[in-house]
Amino acid sequence: LAACPEVWRAALKEAVDLGDFGRISELVEQIRGDDPSLVEVLASWAYNYDLVAFSQALIGISLLQCTHGQNQS
């Protein structure tokens, strides 16, 4: 997820926060050509309605960015 554009990750976070699996699936399809392995995992989470997995992954990316100084406020 860290390699995905920040705008895309923000849209994914918003969709996850809303529980909008239609939007989540659309976003996953947008990166299909970029990272097939990641898409497979994300598509599986979407298929299983696994908001917890999405949330944990997004939190992990956010924490990683903070520790590397990319998201300082």
Side-chain angles (χ1 to χ4, degrees), residues 13-22 24 49 51:
K13 181 184 181 316
E14 182 178 341
V16 169
D17 289 347
L18 295 171
D20 185 346
F21 283 96
I24 291 169
Y49 296 98
L51 287 176

Side-chain angles (χ1 to χ4, degrees), residues 3-4 6 8 15 17-18 20-21 27-28 31 33-34 36 38-39 42 46-48 51 57 59 62-64 73:
C4 295
E6 187 174 339
W8 183 90
D17 289 347
L18 295 171
D20 185 346
F21 283 96
L27 290 163
V28 170
I31 62 165
D34 299 334
L38 176 61
V39 168
L42 297 179
Y47 179 80
N48 291 309
L51 287 176
I59 289 168
S62 180
L63 291 174
L64 179 65
S73 310

Side-chain angles (χ1 to χ4, degrees), residues 45-68:
W45 292 349
Y47 179 80
N48 291 309
Y49 296 98
D50 195 345
L51 287 176
V52 172
F54 279 106
S55 295
Q56 289 176 340
L58 290 165
I59 289 168
I61 294 302
S62 180
L63 291 174
L64 179 65
Q65 289 176 336
C66 286
T67 61
H68 289 287

